């Protein structure tokens, strides 16, 4: 079966209205998006077997687009494909995380400094809304929705800075960090700490203090390193 092509309309968030942007999505894209989301959210944990036949049946397609999606996931380090054996969700490579954190600190340090220089009252209000949502979700212990709002906060800063493309780069760079961070959020007080750290970043941006904004962001992003060391002990089967 050939991969069907569908049009998916996604509104672009911006100040003011812009025409909707059409994104052409193939069947392989749809399968990739679903598996990617499930792997990052740990709904498909490290070590889980992925069966081409079962995935093809779920999407009611041939195995061809399934193989295409799995190959893309393999190239991104999210699945391991073993010929004649099968495909499994990759374990989180601990060695790759420090470098990813360095890249993230550098790029997000740049975006937060610029955001502090150009932020408007409307931008600060937007950050306040996101932090308020996170605070509510932390109280509800909704780790999945909290993570999505966390992402939205960092993406918003890149948008305020006028560097939305940097966030696109970071989404690829930080994929293994995101998998590890999903395990940290249920820890007692961790979500509250994130909200507090985001508040410090917001305050520095509002004060137009670029230096303080970078320091706050660097401190915030550094937390994942000691977290991963502890997680590796608690979840040895999830890391390599």
């Amino acid at each position: 079966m050939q991969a069907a092509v569908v049009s998916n309309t996604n509104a672009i968030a911006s100040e003011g209205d812009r025409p909707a942007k059409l994104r052409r999505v193939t069947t392989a894209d749809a399968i990739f998006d679903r598996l990617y989301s499930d792997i990052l959210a740990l709904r498909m944990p490290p070590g889980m077997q992925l069966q081409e036949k079962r995935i093809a049946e779920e999407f009611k397609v041939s195995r061809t687009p399934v193989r295409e999606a799995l190959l893309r996931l393999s190239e991104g380090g999210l699945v391991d494909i073993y010929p004649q054996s099968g495909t499994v969700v990759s374990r989180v490579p601990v060695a790759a995380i420090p470098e990813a954190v360095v890249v993230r600190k550098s790029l997000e340090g740049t975006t937060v400094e610029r955001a502090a220089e150009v932020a408007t009252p409307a931008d600060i209000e937007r950050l306040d809304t996101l932090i308020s949502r996170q605070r509510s979700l932390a109280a509800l212990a909704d780790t999945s929705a909290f993570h999505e709002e966390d992402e939205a906060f960092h993406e918003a800063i890149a948008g305020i800075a006028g560097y939305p493309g940097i966030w696109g780069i970071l989404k690829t760079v930080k994929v293994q960090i995101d998998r590890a961070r999903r395990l940290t959020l249920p820890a007692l007080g961790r979500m509250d700490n994130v909200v507090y750290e985001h508040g410090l970043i917001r305050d520095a941006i509002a004060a137009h203090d670029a230096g303080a904004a970078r320091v706050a962001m660097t401190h915030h992003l550094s937390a994942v390193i000691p977290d991963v060391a502890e997680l590796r002990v608690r979840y040895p089967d999830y890391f390599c």
Side-chain angles (χ1 to χ4, degrees):
M1 179 186 295
Q2 293 293 322
V5 179
V6 297
S7 293
N8 183 27
T9 303
N10 295 320
I12 304 175
S14 62
E15 292 182 13
D17 294 331
R18 293 183 184 177
K21 180 179 179 181
L22 292 178
R23 176 192 172 204
R24 294 183 66 79
V25 182
T26 66
T27 302
D29 289 334
I31 296 170
F32 172 86
D33 289 345
R34 168 79 69 79
L35 297 179
Y36 182 93
S37 176
D38 286 347
I39 291 171
L40 260 63
L42 299 181
R43 289 186 291 270
M44 290 182 169
M48 180 178 176
Q49 290 274 349
L50 300 181
Q51 299 180 2
E52 284 186 11
K53 181 180 179 181
R54 181 173 296 176
I55 296 171
E57 289 174 349
E58 178 182 351
F59 282 86
K60 297 180 173 58
V61 297
S62 70
R63 293 194 182 189
T64 299
V66 175
R67 291 188 184 120
E68 182 181 334
L70 291 175
L71 181 59
R72 288 176 59 192
L73 290 167
S74 175
E75 291 170 347
L78 292 177
V79 304
D80 296 320
I81 300 175
Y82 300 101
Q84 311 303 322
S85 179
T87 301
V88 299
V89 177
S90 301
R91 292 196 289 174
V92 179
V94 173
I97 290 179
E99 184 176 14
V101 171
V102 168
V103 174
R104 191 171 181 189
K105 284 180 182 178
S106 177
L107 293 179
E108 291 210 63
T110 297
T111 61
V112 78
E113 281 186 337
R114 182 57 179 164
E117 293 169 355
V118 302
T120 66
D123 292 327
I124 302 305
E125 184 177 348
R126 181 182 177 193
L127 295 179
D128 286 340
T129 298
L130 291 168
I131 292 173
S132 178
R133 289 176 186 167
Q134 284 189 297
R135 188 176 292 108
S136 297
L137 291 167
L140 295 172
D142 188 339
T143 59
S144 182
F146 183 92
H147 181 80
E148 295 304 320
E149 293 298 333
D150 187 2
E151 292 283 282
F153 178 82
H154 287 269
E155 183 176 10
I157 291 173
I160 292 168
Y163 300 142
I166 287 182
W167 183 250
I169 295 170
L170 281 169
K171 287 178 69 175
T172 300
V173 170
K174 69 189 188 69
V175 64
Q176 301 298 352
I177 295 176
D178 288 341
R179 297 173 73 198
R181 288 189 65 250
R182 289 280 188 164
L183 293 170
T184 70
L185 291 179
L188 183 63
R190 182 54 194 149
M191 287 190 285
D192 291 334
N193 287 342
V194 170
V195 172
Y196 173 74
E197 291 162 7
H198 281 184
L200 294 179
I201 294 168
R202 174 266 182 214
D203 289 347
I205 294 173
H208 301 293
D209 189 335
R214 178 181 278 271
V215 169
M217 180 66 78
T218 298
H219 173 76
H220 173 57
L221 297 178
S222 296
V224 72
I225 299 296
D227 284 344
V228 169
E230 180 182 346
L231 289 171
R232 192 176 188 182
V233 175
R234 292 169 55 193
Y235 303 94
D237 294 338
Y238 281 14
F239 294 87
C240 63

